[in-house]
C-alpha cells in the first residue's frame, strides 16, 4: 500500500465519523485507488455510504459541512457528489492541503438488487460490476457484518457470467480497417479504436479470470492485470507500448495481443458457447469469427477501377 493510500484511509475515518452516528447508515467503506493501495497525488478519495433509505440532499450537505468540506457538485438522481477538503485534524495534529472527495449514497436494497442482477441474472453491466469490485476490495469503516455478507455474495463469480463477459467482448471493437486509417493518417479515429480493442481484451480476460471489471474508464490497469493469472505475457507493458509506438507497429502488437487472448479463451473456456437472447452479440459471433475479422483486408477497388477507366 502506498503512503498516499494510508493517508487517504486516515482521512476516510475522519469523514466516516460525520455519518456513523446516523442510525440510517448501515455501511461505509473506502473504495477506489485508496482501498486498492495504489493512490498517488492525483487520486481522489472515494467513499460509499449505504443507507436504509437514500438520504435527502439536505442530509448530504450537512454531513459534508460536519466533515469540514466544501460542496463542488451534486447529482441528486445518482446519489453522488464531489467535494473539496483542505484542512483536517488527525490524531490531534492539523494538516492542510487539497483533496477531492467523491461520495456515493445507495440504499441497502438498491445495493443488494445490483448484487443479485450480476450474481443471479448474469448482468454484465460495467457500472454494476464496479460496485461488486468495490465491495470486494473496499476498506470497511462502518457496518462490517453487512459488508461481509455482501462480500460473500460477490465472491461467487458465476460461470455463466464469465462466459457472457467473454462472448459479449469477442468483438473487441466495432468493425474497422486499421490499414485504412493508417494509410489515411486518420490517427484520432485509429487510436480511438485501439483504445476500444485494448478495453475489449481486458474485458474478455476479466471474464476468463472471473474478475469484476472495476471501472468503465479502465483505471488501475496494472492493478487489474495483477488479478489475472490467465493473460498474455507482459500484458501491461505491451498495452502501454501501443500508445508510445508508431501507428503501424502499434497495430502489429495489438493484433498479436488479440490473437493471444482468443487462444487463451480456446484453452480455458472451450464451452464459451454462442450468444443467447438478450446478449449484445449477434449469433454469428464466436471465436472463429473473432479471429477471421482481424485478417488483413484488401482495399476497396470498384470506385478506383471505374475512375481509372472512365476518367
Amino acid at each position: 500500500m502506498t503512503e498516499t493510500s494510508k493517508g487517504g484511509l486516515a482521512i476516510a475515518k475522519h469523514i466516516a465519523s460525520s455519518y456513523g452516528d446516523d442510525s440510517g447508515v448501515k455501511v461505509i467503506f473506502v473504495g477506489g485507488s485508496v482501498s486498492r493501495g495504489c493512490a498517488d497525488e492525483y487520486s481522489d478519495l472515494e467513499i460509499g455510504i449505504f443507507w436504509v433509505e437514500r438520504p435527502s440532499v439536505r442530509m448530504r450537505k450537512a454531513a459534508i459541512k460536519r466533515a469540514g468540506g466544501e460542496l463542488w457538485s451534486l447529482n441528486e438522481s445518482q446519489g453522488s457528489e464531489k467535494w473539496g477538503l483542505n484542512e483536517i485534524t488527525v490524531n490531534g495534529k492539523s494538516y492542510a492541503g487539497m483533496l477531492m472527495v467523491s461520495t456515493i449514497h445507495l440504499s441497502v436494497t438498491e445495493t443488494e438488487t445490483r448484487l443479485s442482477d450480476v450474481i443471479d441474472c448474469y448482468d454484465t453491466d460495467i457500472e454494476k460490476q464496479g460496485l461488486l469490485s468495490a465491495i470486494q476490495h473496499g476498506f470497511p469503516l462502518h457496518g462490517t457484518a453487512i459488508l461481509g455478507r455482501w462480500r460473500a455474495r460477490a465472491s461467487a463469480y458465476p460461470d455463466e457470467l464469465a462466459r457472457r463477459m467473454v462472448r459479449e467482448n469477442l468483438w473487441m471493437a466495432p468493425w474497422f480497417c486499421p490499414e485504412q486509417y493508417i494509410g489515411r493518417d486518420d490517427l484520432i479515429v485509429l487510436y480511438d479504436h485501439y483504445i476500444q480493442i485494448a478495453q475489449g481484451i481486458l474485458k474478455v480476460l476479466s471474464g476468463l479470470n472471473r474478475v469484476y471489471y472495476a471501472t468503465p474508464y479502465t483505471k488501475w490497469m496494472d492493478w487489474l492485470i495483477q488479478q489475472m493469472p490467465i493473460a498474455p505475457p507482459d500484458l501491461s507493458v505491451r498495452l502501454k507500448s501501443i500508445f508510445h509506438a508508431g501507428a503501424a507497429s502499434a497495430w502489429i502488437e495489438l493484433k498479436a495481443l488479440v490473437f493471444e487472448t482468443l487462444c487463451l479463451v480456446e484453452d480455458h473456456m472451450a464451452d464459451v458457447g454462442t450468444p443467447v437472447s438478450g446478449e449484445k452479440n449477434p449469433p454469428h459471433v464466436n471465436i472463429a469469427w473473432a479471429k477471421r475479422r482481424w485478417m488483413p483486408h484488401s482495399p476497396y477497388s470498384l470506385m478506383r477501377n471505374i475512375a481509372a477507366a472512365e476518367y
Side-chain angles (χ1 to χ4, degrees):
M1 176 174 283
T2 64
E3 294 301 314
T4 302
S5 297
K6 294 176 184 177
L9 288 176
I11 297 170
K13 291 174 182 177
H14 163 79
I15 293 171
S17 66
S18 301
Y19 297 92
D21 291 338
D22 191 315
S23 61
V25 176
K26 295 302 178 185
V27 177
I28 304 176
F29 66 74
V30 183
S33 55
V34 170
S35 71
R36 290 168 174 83
C38 54
D40 60 22
E41 64 269 29
Y42 301 105
S43 298
D44 62 345
L45 177 60
E46 299 180 27
I47 300 178
I49 303 104
F50 302 83
W51 305 69
V52 175
E53 294 182 356
R54 279 202 197 189
S56 66
V57 170
R58 179 188 60 79
M59 293 168 67
R60 289 161 58 182
K61 289 181 176 179
I64 292 170
K65 186 176 181 179
R66 286 195 298 272
E70 177 187 4
L71 180 64
W72 291 354
S73 66
L74 184 146
N75 186 310
E76 186 171 357
S77 63
Q78 293 182 4
S80 62
E81 66 244 350
K82 297 185 183 300
W83 48 282
L85 187 65
N86 55 27
E87 189 174 346
I88 188 174
T89 299
V90 176
N91 296 327
K93 296 180 181 179
S94 295
Y95 297 89
M98 176 51 66
L99 174 67
M100 182 174 78
V101 182
S102 301
T103 43
I104 184 166
H105 304 268
L106 291 173
S107 72
V108 169
T109 300
E110 287 176 307
T111 305
E112 293 182 346
T113 297
R114 294 180 192 187
L115 273 163
S116 181
D117 287 345
V118 176
I119 300 299
D120 301 322
C121 303
Y122 320 125
D123 190 338
T124 57
D125 181 83
I126 299 302
E127 295 283 356
K128 292 177 182 177
Q129 288 196 52
L131 175 61
L132 269 67
S133 179
I135 286 170
Q136 280 189 319
H137 301 283
F139 186 92
L141 300 170
H142 178 76
T144 305
I146 297 175
L147 181 58
R149 188 173 74 238
W150 290 348
R151 281 181 171 168
R153 287 273 285 145
S155 68
Y157 192 114
D159 289 343
E160 181 54 26
L161 176 64
R163 285 189 286 268
R164 288 196 184 196
M165 273 299 291
V166 172
R167 283 197 300 261
E168 290 184 5
N169 290 287
L170 285 175
W171 291 82
M172 302 292 181
W175 187 91
F176 79 112
C177 178
E179 295 83 3
Q180 172 194 70
Y181 293 146
I182 292 169
R184 292 175 176 173
D185 204 29
D186 270 341
L187 296 185
I188 291 178
V189 66
L190 178 69
Y191 278 92
D192 176 62
H193 281 78
Y194 282 1
I195 289 169
Q196 292 183 62
I197 293 173
Q199 290 175 329
I201 289 170
L202 290 170
K203 288 175 182 177
V204 167
L205 292 171
S206 72
L208 204 58
N209 287 276
R210 290 160 174 75
V211 173
Y212 297 113
Y213 205 75
T215 165
Y217 308 109
T218 323
K219 296 191 295 183
W220 321 311
M221 186 181 76
D222 289 342
W223 175 88
L224 177 65
I225 290 172
Q226 286 172 5
Q227 318 304 310
M228 298 177 173
I230 303 171
D234 302 318
L235 177 59
S236 181
V237 172
R238 293 167 70 187
L239 281 175
K240 291 175 185 177
S241 74
I242 289 158
F243 301 97
H244 296 288
S249 3
W251 173 234
I252 292 170
E253 182 65 272
L254 192 54
K255 184 161 65 169
L257 285 171
V258 166
F259 277 88
E260 288 173 38
T261 299
L262 294 173
C263 288
L264 288 171
V265 174
E266 285 183 310
D267 291 343
H268 296 275
M269 196 180 280
D271 64 340
V272 63
T274 55
V276 298
S277 176
E279 287 191 45
K280 298 174 184 176
N281 281 356
H284 66 270
V285 175
N286 53 37
I287 295 173
W289 178 92
K291 285 184 172 181
R292 286 195 306 271
R293 71 169 297 199
W294 298 117
M295 295 301 178
H297 297 278
S298 300
Y300 297 136
S301 57
L302 183 57
M303 291 189 291
R304 185 183 60 195
N305 291 345
I306 292 173
E310 299 292 333
Y311 306 98

